[in-house]
Amino acid sequence: MKDNIRRHVLACATTLSVVLAGCGGGNGDTAQEGPGAGDVPPLVPMPALTYSQDAAVCAWMAAHVQPFAWPVQAVGPRTWAPATVQTVDTPMRNAQGLAQYRVTSNLLVLQSHYAPQIQAKGLAQSSSQLWAQEAACKYAISVESQTLTNLSYEFTAYMPDSTAARIAQEDYTAGIRQVRKPDPCRPEVVFPGTPLPPECRTGT
């Protein structure tokens, strides 16, 4: 008899809970879980990064990624000397005549700002990739993505000299310099005993 009563009570309780759930619950203060919980808007799926001023990508970045700010609590105050644009006599240039620049930052600084956001939002991109995309959106440049890895802290892009001067003022910029056009007579890396091409020798 007691078992029958107990089963009847449990059945009624289950039915009541289902009814309440269908009506939105019996308590307006019940905590929600999952996407959309509380006042946090659900994360819109991230589009593929283009490392250019792509409208959809830049809109997503503006809505979901905080722009770079020096992570003083993680790394302390900024002590770098102000960056100055370093130029060369024969820079790489594209068809529009823009010089190619290499922008250098610091891996710890980039990760201290972007990694917490990457972890909180469950993103697959690295700190350097978000950094490069942010710069591409802000300055209307196209960043070369081949060298952007989890451990990279540099990017290269063709840009006007005026844009390079503005990027030099960013807190994340440790250095910015033009990329020299490859010259077989002046290789950047020289191995001992390696002769120069015949056309580079004096008198030829």
Side-chain angles (χ1 to χ4, degrees):
M1 182 66 178
K2 291 183 178 180
D3 290 339
N4 290 335
I5 294 175
R6 184 180 296 109
R7 283 195 295 267
H8 181 71
V9 171
L10 290 175
C12 291
T14 301
T15 302
L16 179 61
S17 64
V18 170
V19 172
L20 290 175
C23 296
N27 187 349
D29 296 329
T30 301
Q32 301 178 21
E33 296 180 358
D39 297 327
V40 180
L43 180 65
V44 177
M46 185 178 194
L49 299 184
T50 61
Y51 307 106
S52 64
Q53 201 178 43
D54 179 277
V57 176
C58 294
W60 190 97
M61 290 286 294
H64 298 287
V65 178
Q66 295 178 6
F68 180 87
W70 186 266
V72 63
Q73 294 184 349
V75 301
R78 188 180 190 276
T79 58
W80 301 348
T84 56
V85 179
Q86 304 294 316
T87 60
V88 297
D89 52 354
T90 55
M92 287 280 292
R93 294 190 182 277
N94 61 10
Q96 290 72 42
L98 299 178
Q100 186 181 57
Y101 286 86
R102 177 172 290 113
V103 182
T104 304
S105 187
N106 176 277
L107 183 59
L108 176 61
V109 169
L110 295 178
Q111 290 179 337
S112 295
H113 174 74
Y114 293 104
Q117 301 183 66
I118 291 172
Q119 183 177 9
K121 296 176 172 62
L123 304 180
Q125 287 69 23
S126 68
S127 296
S128 63
Q129 290 172 324
L130 293 185
W131 167 55
Q133 182 63 64
E134 180 183 320
C137 291
K138 182 175 181 178
Y139 291 105
I141 58 178
S142 294
V143 174
E144 296 187 0
S145 60
Q146 296 89 337
T147 59
L148 294 174
T149 67
N150 289 339
L151 300 178
S152 60
Y153 50 91
E154 291 184 333
F155 70 74
T156 57
Y158 291 97
M159 64 185 77
D161 297 338
S162 58
T163 299
R166 292 167 60 199
I167 292 179
Q169 304 305 311
E170 292 281 2
D171 281 346
Y172 57 64
T173 304
I176 179 170
R177 62 189 184 278
Q178 289 180 341
V179 178
R180 186 186 300 276
K181 182 179 180 179
D183 184 349
C185 297
R186 294 192 301 169
E188 294 187 8
V189 178
V190 178
F191 296 98
T194 302
L196 292 175
E199 62 271 19
C200 300
R201 297 170 188 171
T202 306
T204 59

